[in-house]
Amino acid sequence: NVSVVYNNKMYIFGGYNALYGRHYNDIYEYDPHVNSWSLVVPIGEAPCTRRRQACVLVKDRLFLFGGTSPVSQNFHDDQSPDDRLIDHSDMYVLDLKPTLKTLCFIAIRKYKLTDSSLPQHVRVEYSNMFTSNKPALTRPSNSAG
């Protein structure tokens, strides 16, 4: 798992429990002033379960990048544990202090409102906020021509 500190609270994301062979994708907040843990329930698509990810805090945003996850639960006994994992090159952002604009964008999406009356540059920003950042996979051409 990975942890960061923000506003005197610690945030821990995901990880792997080797005792149970289980990966996680939850995020918890620890407040040392009251000695209390709470589950953070973010809005939007959550990352899949993973370990070995990188997290960095920039101002009020937590950026999570990469990591590894199990390929499937159907393993062969002759496979090494690392052959059973897939590497990720995706990124997720947890906005710990969303702006009013961000909250409006979330409401537009949640209530399926039209963005047609928004200025073009705001529509682009809105679109970028909800566009998948997962790289497209392409297959190289095997033709000799």
Side-chain angles (χ1 to χ4, degrees):
N1 58 23
V2 174
S3 64
V4 297
V5 175
Y6 174 78
N7 279 350
N8 298 318
K9 295 179 182 177
M10 181 173 57
Y11 294 85
I12 295 181
F13 173 82
Y16 177 70
N17 183 324
L19 184 61
Y20 297 108
R22 186 164 177 205
H23 288 78
Y24 296 92
N25 71 335
D26 45 11
I27 185 165
Y28 279 88
E29 174 188 88
Y30 176 70
D31 186 342
H33 293 94
V34 294
N35 192 26
S36 173
W37 288 95
S38 58
L39 178 65
V40 176
V41 182
I43 298 170
E45 180 186 344
C48 66
T49 59
R50 63 185 67 202
R51 62 178 162 170
R52 301 177 182 159
Q53 66 277 355
C55 285
V56 64
L57 184 66
V58 178
K59 296 185 182 180
D60 298 316
R61 292 182 177 166
L62 175 64
F63 292 84
L64 180 143
F65 176 79
T68 58
S69 296
V71 174
S72 74
Q73 298 302 322
N74 300 321
F75 303 132
H76 300 289
D77 289 336
D78 60 341
Q79 284 182 297
S80 76
D82 286 340
D83 290 339
R84 302 172 189 174
L85 299 173
I86 185 170
D87 292 324
H88 299 287
S89 61
D90 53 359
M91 182 167 49
Y92 289 83
V93 181
L94 177 61
D95 195 339
L96 296 165
K97 189 177 176 184
T99 65
L100 182 57
K101 184 193 304 186
T102 298
L103 295 173
C104 289
F105 284 172
I106 291 168
I108 290 170
R109 180 142 175 129
K110 179 179 179 180
Y111 296 109
K112 299 179 178 148
L113 304 172
T114 180
D115 64 353
S116 62
S117 62
L118 296 173
Q120 176 63 27
H121 71 281
V122 176
R123 276 195 313 238
V124 169
E125 190 176 347
Y126 170 76
S127 175
N128 289 340
M129 184 174 175
F130 295 104
T131 301
S132 173
N133 60 11
K134 297 174 185 169
L137 298 176
T138 58
R139 186 176 202 152
S141 173
N142 291 331
S143 65

